[in-house]
Short mmCIF file of all heavy atoms in Angstrom, two decimals:
data_model
loop_
_atom_site.label_atom_id
_atom_site.label_comp_id
_atom_site.label_asym_id
_atom_site.label_seq_id
_atom_site.Cartn_x
_atom_site.Cartn_y
_atom_site.Cartn_z
N PRO A 184 95.28 106.49 120.86
CA PRO A 184 94.73 107.54 121.66
C PRO A 184 95.77 108.72 121.92
O PRO A 184 95.30 109.93 122.07
CB PRO A 184 94.43 106.83 123.04
CG PRO A 184 94.15 105.41 122.59
CD PRO A 184 95.24 105.17 121.52
N ILE A 185 97.04 108.40 121.86
CA ILE A 185 98.04 109.52 121.95
C ILE A 185 97.89 110.47 120.85
O ILE A 185 97.82 111.79 120.95
CB ILE A 185 99.46 108.93 121.96
CG1 ILE A 185 99.77 108.19 123.36
CG2 ILE A 185 100.48 110.15 121.85
CD1 ILE A 185 101.05 107.57 123.45
N ALA A 186 97.80 109.95 119.58
CA ALA A 186 97.56 110.81 118.40
C ALA A 186 96.36 111.60 118.55
O ALA A 186 96.36 112.92 118.21
CB ALA A 186 97.58 109.93 117.15
N ALA A 187 95.27 111.03 118.97
CA ALA A 187 93.97 111.71 119.13
C ALA A 187 94.18 112.83 120.11
O ALA A 187 93.56 113.93 120.02
CB ALA A 187 92.89 110.72 119.48
N ARG A 188 94.88 112.59 121.30
CA ARG A 188 95.03 113.53 122.32
C ARG A 188 95.82 114.73 121.75
O ARG A 188 95.38 115.86 121.99
CB ARG A 188 95.81 112.98 123.55
CG ARG A 188 95.84 113.90 124.67
CD ARG A 188 96.53 113.35 125.82
NE ARG A 188 97.91 113.17 125.72
CZ ARG A 188 98.79 112.22 125.94
NH1 ARG A 188 98.30 111.02 126.42
NH2 ARG A 188 100.03 112.28 125.75
N TRP A 189 96.82 114.49 120.96
CA TRP A 189 97.55 115.69 120.39
C TRP A 189 96.63 116.38 119.53
O TRP A 189 96.72 117.70 119.52
CB TRP A 189 98.66 115.02 119.45
CG TRP A 189 99.84 114.46 120.29
CD1 TRP A 189 100.22 114.68 121.58
CD2 TRP A 189 100.89 113.60 119.72
NE1 TRP A 189 101.32 113.95 121.85
CE2 TRP A 189 101.75 113.30 120.79
CE3 TRP A 189 101.08 112.99 118.40
CZ2 TRP A 189 102.80 112.45 120.58
CZ3 TRP A 189 102.13 112.16 118.29
CH2 TRP A 189 103.13 111.88 119.26
N PHE A 190 95.82 115.81 118.73
CA PHE A 190 94.80 116.52 117.97
C PHE A 190 93.85 117.39 118.70
O PHE A 190 93.72 118.57 118.50
CB PHE A 190 94.06 115.49 117.02
CG PHE A 190 93.20 116.24 115.99
CD1 PHE A 190 93.67 116.56 114.75
CD2 PHE A 190 91.92 116.62 116.41
CE1 PHE A 190 92.89 117.25 113.86
CE2 PHE A 190 91.08 117.39 115.53
CZ PHE A 190 91.66 117.61 114.18
N VAL A 191 93.17 116.72 119.76
CA VAL A 191 92.23 117.59 120.47
C VAL A 191 92.83 118.69 121.30
O VAL A 191 92.26 119.51 121.66
CB VAL A 191 91.35 116.63 121.33
CG1 VAL A 191 90.52 115.72 120.55
CG2 VAL A 191 91.98 115.98 122.53
N GLN A 192 94.07 118.45 121.65
CA GLN A 192 94.94 119.48 122.32
C GLN A 192 95.29 120.63 121.40
O GLN A 192 95.93 121.65 121.85
CB GLN A 192 96.03 118.97 123.07
CG GLN A 192 95.73 118.07 124.24
CD GLN A 192 96.93 117.45 124.94
OE1 GLN A 192 97.90 117.10 124.14
NE2 GLN A 192 96.80 117.11 126.16
N GLY A 193 95.01 120.45 120.12
CA GLY A 193 95.51 121.49 119.10
C GLY A 193 96.91 121.44 118.74
O GLY A 193 97.46 122.36 118.17
N ARG A 194 97.60 120.34 119.11
CA ARG A 194 99.04 120.23 118.81
C ARG A 194 99.31 119.62 117.47
O ARG A 194 100.40 119.75 116.94
CB ARG A 194 99.66 119.39 119.95
CG ARG A 194 99.55 120.01 121.27
CD ARG A 194 100.05 119.10 122.39
NE ARG A 194 101.41 118.74 122.10
CZ ARG A 194 102.06 117.75 122.73
NH1 ARG A 194 101.62 117.16 123.73
NH2 ARG A 194 103.37 117.58 122.53
N LEU A 195 98.38 118.85 117.05
CA LEU A 195 98.64 118.06 115.75
C LEU A 195 97.74 118.58 114.59
O LEU A 195 96.54 118.77 114.89
CB LEU A 195 98.17 116.53 116.08
CG LEU A 195 98.26 115.58 114.82
CD1 LEU A 195 99.67 115.31 114.38
CD2 LEU A 195 97.60 114.19 115.26
N SER A 196 98.34 118.77 113.48
CA SER A 196 97.57 119.22 112.27
C SER A 196 98.13 118.76 111.03
O SER A 196 99.28 118.13 111.05
CB SER A 196 97.51 120.73 112.29
OG SER A 196 98.82 121.25 112.25
N LEU A 197 97.37 118.83 109.99
CA LEU A 197 97.90 118.49 108.64
C LEU A 197 98.07 119.79 107.87
O LEU A 197 97.12 120.55 107.75
CB LEU A 197 96.89 117.60 107.89
CG LEU A 197 97.24 117.12 106.45
CD1 LEU A 197 98.47 116.16 106.64
CD2 LEU A 197 96.07 116.41 105.88
#
Side-chain angles (χ1 to χ4, degrees):
I185 290 176
R188 190 179 74 224
W189 289 341
F190 185 91
V191 301
Q192 290 173 332
R194 300 174 56 191
L195 175 67
S196 62
L197 181 67

